[in-house]
Amino acid sequence: MRSLVVLLLLAPALAACGNLVPDGKSQRTTAAPARSQAIAISPQGQQCLAQLSATGSRFEALPDKYYGAGCSAINAVSLSSLAGDRSSLELANIGPVTCPTAEALSGWARFGVDRAARKILGSPLRRIETMGSYACRNVAGSSKRSAHARAEAVDVAAFVLEDGRRISVLDHWHGGSREEREFLRVVQQSACKRFGTVLSPEYNAAHHDHLHLEWGPSSFCR
């Protein structure tokens, strides 16, 4: 499988340890230069890559990266596109994400977003616009490392439909039409079934313009 044999260097994509739009005034720490290791070949890692490939997602497996200061990208992939019911779905501005995060994102995009767009708004999904994924930083207002520092979170800003409409969290969570507001809330609730933590504008002002999708064992949706 191509995903297991392609080795990419993350340095160009991660040269700046914090080009993600933060969840508010987050505390950043300069990490040490990254150390690369071979792509993880654990049984769990292999299984995740196989499952991600089976979704129809296009991606390349990345070498493990350790940045120090609690920042890393382990068992990560670079996503090119995801699969919808009828066509591939573009991704904008996304960086490396762990394989389990990518798998959750792929299922959400197809079954949660693409289908909701067709049912509620009458048009298939074409592109998901993000604010990025990996960023070596803390949770806003705390000394705890963010899931972004482990490449386990993605911030989603907007959705572009096949008919050209762009539905953004910033413009349509409160200010859109009834259908647009319903669509955003449906995709948020769908995300809560696949991700451990999902934060929306209902959580705090720092999330007024995006949905924070975080893979993990917790269960928090707001």
Side-chain angles (χ1 to χ4, degrees), residues 15 50 89 221:
L89 307 175
C221 176

Side-chain angles (χ1 to χ4, degrees), residues 90-175:
E90 302 171 8
L91 284 168
N93 196 42
I94 192 168
V97 292
T98 64
C99 183
T101 306
E103 188 178 0
L105 187 67
S106 68
W108 174 68
R110 178 176 183 177
F111 301 112
V113 184
D114 188 27
R115 292 185 181 183
R118 285 189 276 113
K119 181 178 180 180
I120 300 171
L121 299 175
S123 175
L125 179 68
R126 184 177 73 199
R127 182 171 68 250
I128 296 176
E129 296 181 357
T130 85
M131 292 179 171
S133 50
Y134 172 82
C136 187
R137 61 180 178 83
N138 293 345
V139 174
S142 79
S143 59
K144 179 183 178 181
R145 275 293 185 224
S146 167
H148 288 292
R150 302 184 301 275
E152 293 179 344
V154 179
D155 286 347
V156 174
F159 308 90
V160 179
L161 308 184
E162 284 287 356
D163 64 10
R165 281 179 290 172
R166 180 179 182 272
I167 313 301
S168 74
V169 177
L170 176 63
D171 294 331
H172 300 98
W173 185 268
H174 294 296

Side-chain angles (χ1 to χ4, degrees), residues 42-131:
S42 68
Q44 295 87 348
Q46 291 182 8
Q47 181 179 12
C48 183
L49 291 172
Q51 292 172 171
L52 181 60
S53 181
T55 67
S57 301
R58 296 183 62 186
F59 66 95
E60 292 177 292
L62 300 173
D64 291 345
K65 288 281 189 174
Y66 299 88
Y67 295 90
C71 298
S72 63
I74 311 303
N75 190 27
V77 299
S78 175
L79 284 168
S80 302
S81 66
L82 304 174
D85 279 339
R86 302 175 184 176
S87 62
S88 63
L89 307 175
E90 302 171 8
L91 284 168
N93 196 42
I94 192 168
V97 292
T98 64
C99 183
T101 306
E103 188 178 0
L105 187 67
S106 68
W108 174 68
R110 178 176 183 177
F111 301 112
V113 184
D114 188 27
R115 292 185 181 183
R118 285 189 276 113
K119 181 178 180 180
I120 300 171
L121 299 175
S123 175
L125 179 68
R126 184 177 73 199
R127 182 171 68 250
I128 296 176
E129 296 181 357
T130 85
M131 292 179 171

Side-chain angles (χ1 to χ4, degrees), residues 23 100-101 104 139 144-148 150-155 191-192 194-199 207 211-220:
D23 301 340
T101 306
V139 174
K144 179 183 178 181
R145 275 293 185 224
S146 167
H148 288 292
R150 302 184 301 275
E152 293 179 344
V154 179
D155 286 347
C192 294
R194 296 179 181 273
F195 293 89
T197 298
V198 176
L199 306 178
H207 295 83
L211 300 177
H212 171 89
L213 311 181
E214 178 180 326
W215 182 85
S218 61
S219 179
F220 187 84

